[in-house]
Amino acid sequence: MWSGVGHLNRLGGGERNVFGLDFKANGFQWNDEICRADSDGDGWTNGYELGDPDCTWSPGQTPSRSDNITHPGICDPYNSPECLEKNSFVDCDVEKSFCPRINNPGVLRLNMTFPEIQIPSEENTYYCMTFDLPSDQDYHILANEPIVDNMEVFHHTLVWACEEENPIKLSEPRPCGEETRDSCTSMVGFWTTGYPGVCFDDDAGFRFGKTGFKRVKLEVHYHNALKRPGMTDGSGISLYYQPVTPEIQDMLTFIVGEQLIEIPPGKPRFELNSVCKESCTKKIVTKPAKIFAGLNVMQVMGSSMTIQLLRDGRIVKNITYEKSFRPTNPKLLTHTPTLDLLPGDEIKTTCVYNSFRSNRSVFFGETTGGEMCYGFVFVYPKEAFSLPNCLTFDALDICDLTDGNPLQTPKGECNWGAFTYFDDNYQPPWTDMIQTNCQMDGRCRPECKWAVEKLMEDPCMDKVASSVINWRLADSDKGRSALARMNGCRGAIYHSDGDSKGGQASCGWEECSMYCGSGSGSGSGGPYDGAPNMAAGSITVFTPLLVLLYLSI
């Protein structure tokens, strides 16, 4: 059975075979032209091979012949001299079990499927639903396998552990939103087209049950390539698990990457690097650990991504490597044997974006319009890690934040902790000047412009530090108030012929794109006639993933 008829991989997904290329070039339509073509060059038309020799079939009908069906992308006779080279991609061995350990005594299976739902007539949609797991004792997840209902639209699925004390419960499928990310943030399962399933390393598994998480969220990506109405699906995933035994170690999904992202418009190639430094892994990785697999996560602008393991300044191995990244076709790169991760190693994440068609700067965001640079690295044992991530925040990594290490800027040293610290009885001295001279209406009056220009002399307001400062200020009510006041003038340069008492302003300073919107409020940059994006108290707070990270510090 060759499920992915148009692909080199018989399970579907990835590169297309000769028939798949012809079918795509024909607009994914079955008509007389594609039917009478001979894609594999073996002398039989595509229609004849698929049971439609007269080219009369249409969707919903039964082909005139259903026996002796052959593949329009595989040359016949299969072993003939004319066909051997063309068929070099074909593996005719009977598929062995993708995971022998699931056949061991005591291994259980849990099927999690959506009830049949209507798929929107949009190209890409994401639906989520939660499932409760057995909790009478502790178990380890060993593997997962897809349950495919409608192969035409079921593209990939992720399983997230809900580790909060009272995690969200979704009793029926619904479009995934921000609220579903708040309490289910650790990936414990994955499948996409082209994979028979995912089998974790023989020595490890994800612990759940009595002392672990008790609920998971199933996130399904539907790819309705032709945007057909009326499509339905009830697919899902099977989890293979067994009671905890001493020889199986607990796994962890360790997250690396960059949290603060700013991609300028019009760039065919923009590279972003994130390094979990040697000094940080010495604190986070408390003893030698194993890397089993890695998964890259970016959005629509992502073009390539690599996660590298470095030791003593030299590359040990690529944990992931995708020269051509496609957000709708995630790839899990597994390592057999596993890679050693030692305290003092470095993990470098490189994300490359193509913003050539964009007319605005793009910033971090988990929804449409934003971008990400995350790597999910499957590691064990879990107890070897003091934190579940090593994200970076511009010039800082998670250990810098934990230790309060200052930032070095061209203007001098920035003690970002003191600069952004607020509590009920204290606020930084600079805020008095901003509160006295700046209002929250988004207007850049002369006295506010003077105060902001004075403040911009501080090293913590240098561009090197500004993204970290904004992130920290956005974490408190008083900090957000200060941002709203200063951003009425921050980034504004008055026209030489403008009204010095608060007339027209335009984006001017290098970092202005972070704060200024267009006149229509679209955030596309350029002159604006309204309040900046972050003025008047309007601000987007960082991702729930970062909330969990921040609470752990």
Side-chain angles (χ1 to χ4, degrees):
M1 176 65 70
W2 200 284
S3 303
V5 177
H7 295 268
L8 297 179
N9 184 334
R10 66 185 182 84
L11 297 175
E15 294 183 32
R16 293 179 170 89
N17 56 38
V18 288
F19 171 72
L21 293 172
D22 286 351
F23 192 58
K24 178 184 179 183
N26 200 53
F28 299 106
Q29 299 296 319
W30 183 259
N31 54 26
D32 196 72
E33 182 178 354
I34 188 68
C35 177
R36 298 194 184 281
D38 178 14
S39 295
D40 54 20
D42 58 8
W44 294 335
T45 68
N46 297 331
Y48 179 84
E49 296 206 53
L50 291 174
D52 184 26
D54 299 321
C55 300
T56 57
W57 177 87
S58 62
Q61 293 182 337
T62 301
S64 61
R65 189 184 84 249
S66 58
D67 57 344
N68 297 321
I69 299 299
T70 51
H71 197 306
I74 297 177
C75 183
D76 288 305
Y78 173 74
N79 288 317
S80 66
E82 297 81 9
C83 292
L84 277 177
E85 185 176 350
K86 294 180 180 180
N87 294 336
S88 60
F89 67 93
V90 180
D91 181 3
C92 282
D93 290 339
V94 176
E95 183 178 308
K96 300 177 182 179
S97 171
F98 75 96
C99 189
R101 69 191 301 206
I102 67 177
N103 299 314
N104 294 340
V107 174
L108 305 168
R109 176 174 176 169
L110 176 65
N111 294 334
M112 301 185 299
T113 59
F114 285 179
E116 187 173 276
I117 60 172
Q118 194 89 8
I119 308 303
S121 55
E122 301 173 13
E123 185 173 357
N124 295 292
T125 53
Y126 295 82
Y127 273 74
C128 288
M129 180 177 175
T130 59
F131 296 83
D132 290 331
L133 305 180
S135 58
D136 57 316
Q137 64 180 85
D138 280 353
Y139 299 93
H140 276 133
I141 298 174
L142 309 179
N144 59 251
E145 185 179 25
I147 302 173
V148 182
D149 176 31
N150 186 344
M151 188 174 183
E152 190 172 348
V153 293
F154 182 49
H155 188 272
H156 75 261
T157 183
L158 305 174
V159 183
W160 301 91
C162 304
E163 297 179 303
E164 282 192 351
E165 186 174 344
N166 294 304
I168 189 171
K169 183 175 179 64
L170 306 174
S171 56
E172 59 184 27
R174 72 180 192 187
C176 301
E178 292 291 343
E179 73 282 358
T180 69
R181 297 187 179 100
D182 290 346
S183 58
C184 308
T185 58
S186 182
M187 188 187 300
V188 295
F190 166 82
W191 174 83
T192 189
T193 52
Y195 289 83
V198 174
C199 182
F200 300 128
D201 192 71
D202 286 346
D203 297 326
F206 287 104
R207 179 186 291 256
F208 73 90
K210 192 170 185 179
T211 65
F213 57 91
K214 301 172 177 60
R215 181 174 296 166
V216 293
K217 179 187 70 176
L218 189 63
E219 177 181 329
V220 174
H221 170 214
Y222 290 111
H223 184 54
N224 190 350
L226 300 181
K227 301 181 180 180
R228 291 177 178 168
M231 303 287 281
T232 61
D233 183 67
S235 297
I237 202 166
S238 293
L239 296 183
Y240 291 93
Y241 66 100
Q242 69 177 26
V244 165
T245 56
E247 66 271 15
I248 304 299
Q249 302 182 73
D250 293 347
M251 287 187 71
L252 169 71
T253 304
F254 188 69
I255 305 173
V256 296
E258 178 58 49
Q259 183 66 35
L260 300 175
I261 296 175
E262 178 183 354
I263 304 170
K267 300 287 185 181
R269 189 181 191 279
F270 179 79
E271 182 174 307
L272 185 68
N273 291 295
S274 166
V275 179
C276 180
K277 299 188 290 285
E278 173 186 349
S279 58
C280 196
T281 63
K282 284 181 178 178
K283 298 176 181 179
I284 293 180
V285 186
T286 60
K287 63 180 182 180
K290 300 288 187 181
I291 296 176
F292 165 68
L295 179 70
N296 293 329
V297 178
M298 295 189 291
Q299 300 218 73
V300 293
M301 285 187 177
S303 59
S304 67
M305 182 171 174
T306 305
I307 305 173
Q308 296 174 316
L309 176 66
L310 296 94
R311 187 170 300 142
D312 300 324
R314 297 181 178 181
I315 298 174
V316 176
K317 189 93 175 195
N318 287 335
I319 300 173
T320 68
Y321 176 70
E322 287 186 77
K323 187 175 180 180
S324 298
F325 176 85
R326 293 174 58 196
T328 58
N329 191 29
K331 296 179 180 178
L332 185 73
L333 179 61
T334 58
H335 297 280
T336 305
T338 55
L339 306 179
D340 292 327
L341 174 62
L342 306 179
D345 286 349
E346 289 190 342
I347 302 176
K348 181 181 180 181
T349 304
T350 301
C351 295
V352 179
Y353 305 90
N354 183 347
S355 64
F356 185 73
R357 296 182 181 277
S358 177
N359 61 1
R360 66 177 182 89
S361 293
V362 174
F363 304 94
F364 175 88
E366 293 184 343
T367 54
T368 303
E371 263 302 342
M372 293 187 288
C373 180
Y374 280 155
F376 292 89
V377 183
F378 296 89
V379 297
Y380 67 90
K382 184 177 182 179
E383 63 267 21
F385 297 82
S386 61
L387 285 175
N389 60 75
C390 188
L391 293 171
T392 56
F393 306 80
D394 200 17
L396 300 178
D397 63 26
I398 186 62
C399 295
D400 292 324
L401 296 177
T402 304
D403 298 340
N405 297 335
L407 270 167
Q408 303 301 323
T409 78
K411 292 181 180 179
E413 186 175 271
C414 165
N415 188 341
W416 55 271
F419 191 87
T420 58
Y421 180 78
F422 291 85
D423 65 20
D424 292 340
N425 302 311
Y426 175 84
Q427 62 185 35
W430 61 266
T431 57
D432 289 336
M433 178 175 64
I434 294 299
Q435 289 174 345
T436 300
N437 293 285
C438 298
Q439 305 301 314
M440 294 181 66
D441 58 5
R443 299 282 307 272
C444 186
R445 298 177 177 86
E447 63 273 16
C448 182
K449 184 172 184 288
W450 169 85
V452 172
E453 287 178 340
K454 194 79 173 173
L455 181 61
M456 294 298 292
E457 297 173 4
D458 192 287
C460 284
M461 298 305 291
D462 185 84
K463 185 171 177 60
V464 172
S466 62
S467 54
V468 175
I469 296 302
N470 293 332
W471 163 66
R472 287 279 295 179
L473 291 176
D475 188 43
S476 69
D477 290 339
K478 292 182 179 179
R480 286 191 289 273
S481 173
L483 276 175
R485 291 175 186 274
M486 78 170 75
N487 287 340
C489 282
R490 191 178 181 184
I493 293 179
Y494 279 64
H495 298 307
S496 58
D497 58 349
D499 179 2
S500 62
K501 294 184 179 181
Q504 194 73 13
S506 67
C507 290
W509 293 346
E510 282 185 343
E511 57 183 25
C512 182
S513 60
M514 297 178 67
Y515 317 108
C516 301
S518 70
S520 63
S522 66
S524 60
Y528 66 89
D529 59 9
N533 291 340
M534 296 172 71
S538 174
I539 183 170
T540 301
V541 185
F542 46 83
T543 172
L545 171 65
L546 189 52
V547 174
L548 296 175
L549 178 153
Y550 189 71
L551 292 174
S552 71
I553 296 176

